[in-house]
Amino acid sequence: MAGREQIIDDMVLAFENDDSDPNLCSVFYGARGTGKTALLAYLSYRAQQEGWITANVTASEGMLEDILQRLNESAAHLIEKPASRRVNSVGIAPVGSMSWENIDVEFEGANWRTKMNALFAQLEATDTGVLIAVDEVDASFAQMTELVTTYQHFVSENKKVALLMAGLPFRVLALLTGKSTSFLRRAAQHSLGSISPTEVKEAFRLTIEDGGKTISDEAIDLAAKAIDGFPFMFQLVGYRAWNASRQASEVSIEDVERGAKLAQEELESRVFASTAAELSRGDLEFLRAMNPVGTTTRQELAARLKKSSGSISTYKKRLVEAGVIEEPLQGRFEFALPGFGRYVASLY
Ligand SMILES: Nc1ncnc2c1ncn2[C@@H]1O[C@H](COP(=O)(O)OP(=O)(O)O)[C@@H](O)[C@H]1O
Ligand SMILES: [Mg+2]
C-alpha cells in the first residue's frame, strides 16, 4: 500500500481506541485506479486484527442483507449460534426420522436495524466492534441512504461501530450533499490522490526486495516515471517487470522497460479503451480540446470548441459524472485519469 501509511496509521489508531474516534466514520474518494477498493480491503483486514468483525460490500439494492450475512460470517467464531434449525418434537416426526424447523422465523419481518441490534447485543459481552465498508458508493440506491441514517442511530446509541465508504469523487460528493445523508458531512474525508515519486520508489524497492530480488536505482527511477504516481500502474509495472526478469536475481533496466511497455498497453486496453468506448463523439471532441496534461480553463475550451458556455456545461457535467475529468476549481478542468489526455489526443 504505497503512499497510504498516514491514512492507515490513523485508521488503525481509530480501531484501537474504544472512544468515538472521528475516523470511524470515513469516506475515501479518488478517480478509477487510485486504490479505493484495495484500501478498503486492507483496512478491513487491519480492523479484524484489532478484533473487529467486518463486512465489505459494494453499494447496491440488497446491500443491507449482504452486510448482515457478511457480518454473521465474520462473527461466526464469536457468536453463540442460535441453532438455525431445531429438532421438532419427536412425537410429530415419523418414527425413525426427524424433521427440522427453521427458527430464523424469530426475526422474520424484522427490519435491518432490528436485526443489527440483535447482532450488537450478542457482541456486546466481548466488546467486539462492527465495521461496515461500502465500496462504490452511490446515493441513488435507497439502501445507501437507509444505511447512513441507521448508522447515525447506532452512533447515538453508543454502539461500537465504524462505517467506511469509498467511491468516485462526484458520487461521494452526491452522498455528502444528499438531504437525508447530510449527517455524513461530519465524516472524516480522505482523498486518495497520486502517490509521490519518493513513496513510489521506496515501495517499489521494498516489494522487489521482499520477493527476494534486487533492483538498481536507475531501474527504479524508470519504473517511477512509468507509474507516474498512479496505483493501478504501480501494480502493473511491478508485476510485468518482475515477470520479465524470470529466474534472474535482479530486475534489470531492460526488464522495467519491457514491464512498463506492457503495463502501458494494458492500461490503454483495459482502462482507457473501455472508458473511451462509453463516450460520444461530442465528449471526445471536448476532451481533445483540453490540454492533455494540466489544467484547461472554461474560456480556452469555449474558444477552441466554438461552443456556448451552456453546452460546455452539459458536456462537462457528463464527463465529470463518468469519472473522466475533474473540476478542482470552478471553471478549471483536468483529466481525472493520468495519461488519458495523451491517450485521447493519440486516437485517430
Ligand atoms: N497504495 C497502493 N500501492 C500499490 N498498489 C496499489 C495501491 N493501491 C492500489 N494498488 C493497486 O492498484 C490497482 C487498482 O486499485 P483499486 O483498489 O482497484 O482502485 P479503485 O478501486 O480506486 O479503482 C490494484 O491492482 C491495486 O492492487
Ligand atoms: Mg474499486
Side-chain angles (χ1 to χ4, degrees):
M1 301 303 300
R4 307 289 182 231
E5 288 81 5
Q6 191 60 54
I7 289 185
I8 292 169
D9 286 354
D10 290 350
M11 295 304 302
V12 171
L13 206 64
F15 300 145
E16 285 167 355
N17 287 346
D18 27 13
D19 53 345
S20 46
D21 189 308
N23 278 319
L24 290 180
C25 181
S26 277
V27 286
F28 304 90
Y29 58 94
R32 285 199 182 84
T34 47
K36 300 179 293 296
T37 302
L39 185 65
L40 278 190
Y42 183 75
L43 290 175
S44 228
Y45 159 76
R46 293 297 299 265
Q48 279 174 23
Q49 290 192 318
E50 299 296 330
W52 291 63
I53 62 164
T54 63
N56 281 52
V57 302
T58 302
S60 66
E61 248 17 296
M63 63 192 279
L64 295 180
E65 180 58 30
D66 198 15
I67 290 171
L68 271 174
Q69 297 200 12
R70 299 290 75 76
L71 287 175
N72 273 306
E73 237 168 49
S74 179
H77 63 292
L78 293 169
I79 297 177
E80 223 186 297
K81 265 259 151 60
S84 57
R85 293 176 296 177
R86 83 175 168 218
V87 184
N88 255 347
S89 101
V90 177
I92 295 166
V95 179
S97 75
M98 287 189 289
S99 72
W100 302 87
E101 178 196 5
N102 198 319
I103 65 155
D104 274 348
V105 175
E106 196 185 327
F107 281 111
E108 208 175 75
N111 69 12
W112 189 69
R113 186 173 168 192
T114 307
K115 291 180 185 171
M116 285 294 292
N117 281 343
L119 183 70
F120 282 119
Q122 293 185 72
L123 292 171
E124 208 175 276
T126 51
D127 190 35
T128 302
V130 169
L131 179 137
I132 301 168
V134 184
D135 202 3
E136 293 173 34
V137 296
D138 187 340
S140 68
F141 292 120
Q143 292 206 339
M144 188 77 234
T145 317
E146 191 180 341
L147 169 66
V148 172
T149 46
T150 311
Y151 173 81
Q152 197 174 353
H153 288 294
F154 296 155
V155 171
S156 59
E157 291 157 6
N158 285 321
K159 303 225 153 64
K160 187 167 179 179
V161 63
L163 178 62
L164 312 186
M165 291 172 293
L168 295 171
F170 69 93
R171 291 221 194 274
V172 167
L173 188 70
L175 192 67
L176 296 186
T177 53
K179 249 205 205 99
S180 40
T181 48
S182 60
F183 154 78
L184 284 181
R185 258 166 260 170
R186 275 176 280 153
Q189 297 180 27
H190 311 267
S191 160
L192 299 188
S194 52
I195 308 171
S196 77
T198 325
E199 285 170 316
V200 165
K201 288 179 195 172
E202 188 184 302
F204 204 85
R205 176 190 302 283
L206 282 175
T207 312
I208 300 276
E209 288 176 356
D210 271 357
K213 296 197 185 201
T214 57
I215 183 163
S216 69
D217 289 347
E218 292 76 18
I220 289 198
D221 287 348
L222 198 67
K225 237 177 107 187
I227 291 164
D228 196 17
F230 192 24
F232 182 88
M233 283 296 272
F234 182 100
Q235 201 272 338
L236 222 49
V237 172
Y239 179 68
R240 292 299 171 199
W242 178 274
N243 282 352
S245 72
R246 295 170 182 269
Q247 308 301 328
S249 62
E250 185 187 3
V251 178
S252 68
I253 294 192
E254 292 71 37
D255 298 333
V256 172
E257 274 169 353
R258 180 157 172 68
K261 187 168 170 292
L262 286 171
Q264 186 62 35
E265 285 168 12
E266 279 182 67
L267 177 69
E268 292 183 4
S269 68
R270 281 168 52 186
V271 180
F272 292 176
S274 48
T275 304
E278 290 166 358
L279 303 173
S280 71
R281 287 176 71 93
D283 292 336
L284 286 170
E285 211 184 306
F286 182 104
L287 295 176
R288 280 199 208 96
M290 282 178 57
N291 303 326
V293 180
T295 309
T296 311
T297 64
R298 174 183 286 273
Q299 289 79 358
E300 283 176 283
L301 271 174
R304 287 178 201 164
L305 289 166
K306 303 191 179 57
K307 287 211 161 100
S308 72
S309 180
S311 126
I312 301 261
S313 296
T314 311
Y315 279 110
K316 180 211 76 180
K317 184 162 179 288
R318 288 195 351 196
L319 289 166
V320 169
E321 280 171 8
V324 173
I325 65 169
E326 288 169 337
E327 189 178 11
L329 289 170
Q330 181 109 44
R332 301 176 75 84
F333 311 127
E334 282 172 12
F335 282 95
L337 292 165
F340 193 62
R342 264 166 295 186
Y343 176 78
V344 284
S346 76
L347 289 177
Y348 275 125

